[in-house]
């Protein structure tokens, strides 16, 4: 039974695209970067080499669980550094809680359970997709996607979103058991029962971990942070932009890839110290 369990969002929390690196130092002083995602022969996501070393040390001591909104296919492009060559996290959560991977293999029982919860509490994804098709103008909508038949998202030109459109969509979705989140250029519509915190609760029960540490940057991560004994959010992202914080959540000032490194460093320090009580912000 592990004393600690670490569960973290990936994009703009642990790993960073070129657009999200936020390297605001002279080029000669920029940290060395390690590519952790390749797609179609191109490196897409990065960590600092120091962050990679810290993560490998952390994963050698406690279970490290990636929890992401990415689909399973998108998640499997990520190659996180670990304590051994070819390391695979013991648990991973994809599609915002829709898939639970155990040693890299999807757990069908968990997926059936989630499908059952969605059917009982939320409108079908097809209804939401149809509404988005009607209300999202192609003039400012670049892409429309359905993720693993569980939730939907749009890639939009954020500056061109009509005033009140997000609010109207949020209200419409709430009546049908769905939530809305605007993250950068993406608008997510997600069934309320589909949450990272629900998947985290399942992993915590399976491992018996006494203390859970989490990290995340977006509104979809708020529940994840609240479900932990202690959490971290970077100085960028939706949560930072709205000034969101909570008891037991450390709001970092670092932004970009440097924030990812600092999150892992502080998590590792907490594990090394063996401190199980939340630390005041």
């Amino acid at each position: 039974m592990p004393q600690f369990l670490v569960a973290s969002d990936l994009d703009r929390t642990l790993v960073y695209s070129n657009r999200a690196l936020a390297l605001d130092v002279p080029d000669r002083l920029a940290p060395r970067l390690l590519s952790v995602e390749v797609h179609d022969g191109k490196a897409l996501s990065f960590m600092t080499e120091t962050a990679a070393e810290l993560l490998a040390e952390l994963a050698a001591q406690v279970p490290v669980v990636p929890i992401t909104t990415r689909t399973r296919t998108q998640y499997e492009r990520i190659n996180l550094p670990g304590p051994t060559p070819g390391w695979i996290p013991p648990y991973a959560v994809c599609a915002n809680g829709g898939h639970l991977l155990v040693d890299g293999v999807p757990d069908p029982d968990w997926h059936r359970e989630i499908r059952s919860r969605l059917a009982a509490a939320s409108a079908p994804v097809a209804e939401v997709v149809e509404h988005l098709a009607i209300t999202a103008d192609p003039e400012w909508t670049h892409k429309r996607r359905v993720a693993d038949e569980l939730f939907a998202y749009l890639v939009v030109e954020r500056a061109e979103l009509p005033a009140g459109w997000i609010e109207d969509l949020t209200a419409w979705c709430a009546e049908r058991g769905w939530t809305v989140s605007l993250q950068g250029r993406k608008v997510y519509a997600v069934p309320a029962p589909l949450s990272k915190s629900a998947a985290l609760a399942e992993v915590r029960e399976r491992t018996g971990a006494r203390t859970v540490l989490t990290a995340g940057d977006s509104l979809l991560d708020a529940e994840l942070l609240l479900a932990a004994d202690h959490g971290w959010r970077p100085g960028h992202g939706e949560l930072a932009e709205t000034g969101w914080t909570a008891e037991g959540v450390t709001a970092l000032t670092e932004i970009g890839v440097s924030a990812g490194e600092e999150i892992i460093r502080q998590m590792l320090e907490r594990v090394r110290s063996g401190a199980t009580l939340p630390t005041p912000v």
Side-chain angles (χ1 to χ4, degrees):
M1 180 182 298
Q3 178 178 344
F4 286 95
L5 174 70
V6 169
S8 180
D9 172 52
L10 287 178
D11 294 282
R12 303 188 75 201
T13 299
L14 288 191
V15 307
Y16 291 80
S17 66
N18 272 302
R19 185 192 297 257
L21 289 173
L23 295 174
D24 56 354
V25 297
D27 290 348
R28 62 185 177 82
L29 299 178
R32 287 168 59 94
L33 299 175
L34 175 71
S35 169
V36 293
E37 179 185 15
V38 174
H39 182 48
D40 291 338
K42 297 179 180 178
L44 294 186
S45 297
F46 305 86
M47 307 173 73
T48 67
E49 287 191 349
T50 298
E53 292 169 1
L54 294 172
L55 182 61
E57 182 178 347
L58 183 63
Q61 299 187 43
V62 300
V64 172
V65 182
I67 297 190
T68 179
T69 306
R70 286 175 174 240
T71 64
R72 180 185 163 198
T73 299
Q74 292 168 337
Y75 164 72
E76 289 176 343
R77 299 199 302 251
I78 296 287
N79 186 10
L80 291 174
T84 58
W87 173 76
I88 296 175
Y91 294 94
V93 175
C94 307
N96 212 60
H99 296 290
L100 175 60
L101 276 57
V102 181
D103 294 326
V105 180
D107 183 327
D109 291 336
W110 173 254
H111 190 62
R112 280 192 292 269
E113 170 65 20
I114 286 297
R115 288 287 188 185
S116 176
R117 295 182 191 181
L118 297 185
S122 303
V125 65
E127 182 178 340
V128 177
V129 170
E130 181 181 7
H131 183 75
L132 290 172
I134 294 171
T135 61
D137 194 321
E139 287 293 320
W140 42 262
T141 304
H142 298 303
K143 295 180 182 178
R144 305 169 187 269
R145 295 288 186 269
V146 178
D148 289 349
E149 300 301 320
L150 291 167
F151 64 92
Y153 66 93
L154 307 174
V155 179
V156 300
E157 196 64 46
R158 184 164 177 163
E160 297 180 17
L161 287 176
W165 185 81
I166 287 289
E167 291 76 10
D168 290 345
L169 177 63
T170 300
W172 185 91
C173 283
E175 293 175 353
R176 292 158 179 82
W178 285 61
T179 61
V180 172
S181 175
L182 176 62
Q183 301 181 36
R185 298 193 306 139
K186 291 183 178 178
V187 178
Y188 289 92
V190 180
L194 189 68
S195 70
K196 294 180 178 181
S197 60
L200 174 61
E202 177 70 14
V203 175
R204 184 173 197 168
E205 181 177 348
R206 293 190 187 196
T207 62
R210 291 173 53 199
T211 303
V212 174
L213 308 178
T214 63
D217 71 294
S218 77
L219 290 177
L220 290 174
D221 296 319
E223 283 189 84
L224 180 67
L225 296 172
L226 292 173
D229 295 285
H230 196 87
W232 285 261
R233 72 156 173 82
H236 60 256
E238 278 183 311
L239 296 178
E241 290 168 6
T242 58
W244 184 93
T245 189
E247 183 178 356
V249 175
T250 296
L252 297 177
T253 57
E254 290 87 352
I255 64 171
V257 72
S258 296
E261 180 179 314
E262 185 61 23
I263 286 169
I264 302 170
R265 178 178 289 107
Q266 292 195 20
M267 285 180 163
L268 183 57
E269 288 174 355
R270 180 64 61 90
V271 169
R272 284 171 174 167
S273 72
T276 58
L277 296 177
T279 299
V281 178

